[in-house]
Amino acid sequence: MVAWWCQCAGKRCSAAICEYVSTLSDMSKQCCQTKRLSCQKLRVNKLIPTSKAKTTKRLANNNKCLHEMADIKEIVIVVKWSGKEYPVDLADQDTVEVLRHEIYRKTQVRPDRQKLINLKHKGKPAPDNLKLSQLELKPNFKLMMVGSTEADIEDACSLPDDIGEVIDDFDDAEEREESVANSAVYLAKVQRRVRDYKITELSPPREGKKLLVLDIDYTLFDHRSPAETGTELMRPYLHEFLQSAYEHYDIVIWSATSMRWIEEKMRLLGVSNNENYKIMFYLDSNAMISVHMPERGVVDVKPLGVIWSLYKQYSSTNTIMFDDIRRNFLMNPKSGLKIRPFRQAHLNRSKDKELLKLSDYLRNIALHCNDFNLLNHRKWEHYDPKKNS
Ligand SMILES: [Mg+2]
């Protein structure tokens, strides 16, 4: 395209701006159409080409812009907060501050109240002015956020003390538990897990130790209550409990979530690198099996056979598993101890002593009971070592 326009009496004739003419004669014709005398007196030497330099520069700018646009990558960050996931669409040229703003739009948690747990740059929390491209986030990066909405904070101040527990569970299902535990279909599923699931050992098993398998959510950590920091959601005495248990037990963490998430939570709680105890390994939802219950449909459970098949030194005689949901024990009903769930962390932080009491129970049964099959964990609070020694 050649762009020309005419200049009449020293002024640019707007009607004659004819970017689509390619010859001077066309230009004359076009100008004549304006029926302006000045234009009819158009002389060739009054015709000036559009500043070629300007056009070139504009095109160059356009091209540069197109290239830059092509270089900008769209990214989706999935924000995990309060038990839900919120996908946030951004460009990699956006800053952390923009990210916070977008999170606010989705969650109503103000940017200054957001704690972005795993958004790190050079080992430190990413500053607000940092571009997301500099964080080198992996596709579908999941960002763990802790923070409270203004409404949550108001509610927390007015909640009553004795909130009833609503738990998705089957407390009265012992017979059903037995039939599930012995079902060939489910035992075959366990064997498939044994074959396919890859356990990454963090610390080796120790000779002569028993096995303690722990759930995370509501057992060690309240993952849904409002809080300013992750440690506010940690169950009281967690580290004391783990340190005490480690004396007699190898410890496994098993949570019905993804491995990345388990690792993040354990890091956040200071469990993964604690010098007073070690975790043998983590198991995630992929190590669970699904079981069909006529009344409840399909549920996922945690079969201890996955561990026992790979580590022959452990069995129902020396293994105990804590979870706040009894159905997770369906394959091993006698090995499970249903812990009181730790919820409403902001209200219960100062009074929850469950882990202290359970520390005593674990020590007592380790010292006084040679076969855990003989125990009834439903009555753990009434356990008398003298009767079992
Ligand atoms: Mg749980």
Side-chain angles (χ1 to χ4, degrees):
M1 179 179 73
V2 179
W4 300 88
W5 58 70
C6 72
Q7 188 167 311
C8 307
K11 287 185 178 177
R12 189 178 289 180
C13 175
S14 60
I17 295 173
C18 29
E19 296 206 354
Y20 302 100
V21 297
S22 57
T23 65
L24 291 179
S25 61
D26 282 345
M27 170 60 89
S28 299
K29 221 187 289 173
Q30 181 86 2
C31 283
C32 290
Q33 286 171 6
T34 67
K35 300 190 185 343
R36 287 174 61 176
L37 276 177
S38 58
C39 286
Q40 286 171 12
K41 289 176 186 169
L42 185 78
R43 283 166 37 190
V44 171
N45 63 1
K46 285 283 185 185
L47 279 169
I48 56 169
T50 303
S51 163
K52 213 170 181 177
K54 277 187 185 171
T55 307
T56 309
K57 192 175 172 188
R58 195 178 69 227
L59 288 171
N61 282 341
N62 284 346
N63 282 338
K64 188 178 167 210
C65 187
L66 286 170
H67 280 301
E68 284 174 352
M69 283 173 69
D71 285 340
I72 292 175
K73 294 186 180 71
E74 284 184 10
I75 53 175
V76 178
I77 293 178
V78 180
V79 178
K80 288 194 81 166
W81 172 71
S82 199
K84 290 184 184 165
E85 294 191 350
Y86 301 83
V88 179
D89 296 315
L90 297 149
D92 66 347
Q93 296 302 301
D94 287 330
T95 60
V96 173
E97 189 178 11
V98 175
L99 167 64
R100 286 185 185 276
H101 177 77
E102 291 302 313
I103 292 174
Y104 172 65
R105 283 157 53 100
K106 298 251 178 180
T107 65
Q108 298 303 299
V109 177
R110 274 177 13 200
D112 59 332
R113 290 197 183 279
Q114 296 168 10
K115 188 163 176 64
L116 309 179
I117 304 294
N118 53 338
L119 199 72
K120 296 277 167 60
H121 182 59
K122 296 180 179 173
K124 293 180 180 170
D128 279 359
N129 60 358
L130 194 75
K131 282 188 177 175
L132 300 178
S133 59
Q134 293 174 266
L135 291 169
E136 298 177 341
L137 302 176
K138 290 180 182 162
N140 299 317
F141 172 72
K142 290 199 175 180
L143 174 61
M144 185 178 182
M145 182 180 82
V146 175
S148 309
T149 64
E150 303 309 295
D152 279 341
I153 291 167
E154 265 184 41
D155 284 352
C157 295
S158 58
L159 281 170
D161 266 2
D162 55 340
I163 295 170
E165 290 173 2
V166 180
I167 299 166
D168 173 24
D169 217 340
F170 327 111
D171 260 342
D172 56 348
E174 283 182 52
E175 286 178 20
R176 193 167 36 220
E177 285 172 347
E178 288 300 329
S179 66
V180 169
N182 296 316
S183 156
V185 176
Y186 301 137
L187 290 173
K189 278 192 183 186
V190 171
Q191 286 315 303
R192 281 204 292 278
R193 291 291 176 279
V194 172
R195 187 191 64 204
D196 300 333
Y197 189 85
K198 173 103 178 63
I199 290 178
T200 304
E201 241 178 52
L202 306 171
S203 181
R206 297 164 300 160
E207 195 160 348
K209 299 299 178 190
K210 300 177 189 300
L211 178 65
L212 171 64
V213 180
L214 296 168
D215 169 50
I216 299 179
D217 291 336
Y218 293 141
T219 296
L220 309 180
F221 182 78
D222 173 6
H223 64 302
R224 292 213 172 165
S225 285
E228 297 297 324
T229 67
T231 46
E232 286 178 32
L233 301 174
M234 181 175 85
R235 192 161 205 164
Y237 308 106
L238 174 64
H239 296 300
E240 292 88 339
F241 166 78
L242 291 172
Q243 185 178 347
S244 168
Y246 188 64
E247 197 180 326
H248 299 287
Y249 298 80
D250 287 329
I251 303 171
V252 166
I253 301 284
W254 194 343
S255 177
T257 178
S258 71
M259 184 56 74
R260 202 158 53 83
W261 214 237
I262 295 170
E263 290 170 347
E264 196 59 50
K265 281 180 183 166
M266 291 300 98
R267 219 180 351 256
L268 172 69
L269 294 174
V271 168
S272 57
N273 56 355
N274 198 291
E275 59 183 23
N276 296 318
Y277 56 81
K278 297 276 176 274
I279 304 299
M280 189 159 67
F281 51 80
Y282 304 143
L283 296 179
D284 65 6
S285 57
N286 290 330
M288 297 173 76
I289 64 164
S290 55
V291 169
H292 184 265
M293 306 298 296
E295 308 89 343
R296 309 294 288 261
V298 177
V299 294
D300 285 331
V301 306
K302 300 175 179 175
L304 288 170
V306 173
I307 303 175
W308 293 340
S309 292
L310 293 166
Y311 294 85
K312 301 291 186 193
Q313 66 270 46
Y314 309 121
S315 67
S316 60
T317 64
N318 61 1
T319 299
I320 181 167
M321 182 184 200
F322 288 3
D323 206 298
D324 63 296
I325 297 179
R326 189 177 294 282
R327 72 155 184 265
N328 282 321
F329 310 139
L330 272 173
M331 291 295 290
N332 315 95
K334 288 199 71 67
S335 300
L337 184 152
K338 186 184 145 187
I339 193 169
R340 286 190 189 87
F342 178 58
R343 298 168 186 257
Q344 307 285 334
H346 53 288
L347 294 173
N348 294 319
R349 220 168 11 244
S350 59
K351 48 191 177 190
D352 185 285
K353 294 191 168 49
E354 193 82 346
L355 291 182
L356 275 188
K357 294 181 203 164
L358 284 164
S359 288
D360 290 341
Y361 181 61
L362 285 181
R363 189 185 313 107
N364 280 332
I365 62 173
L367 292 174
H368 301 287
C369 181
N370 290 325
D371 182 358
F372 285 4
N373 288 307
L374 303 173
L375 297 169
N376 181 356
H377 296 315
R378 287 174 189 256
K379 298 181 178 172
W380 69 270
E381 284 168 291
H382 306 290
Y383 177 74
D384 183 353
K386 289 177 198 143
K387 287 185 186 169
N388 292 273
S389 54

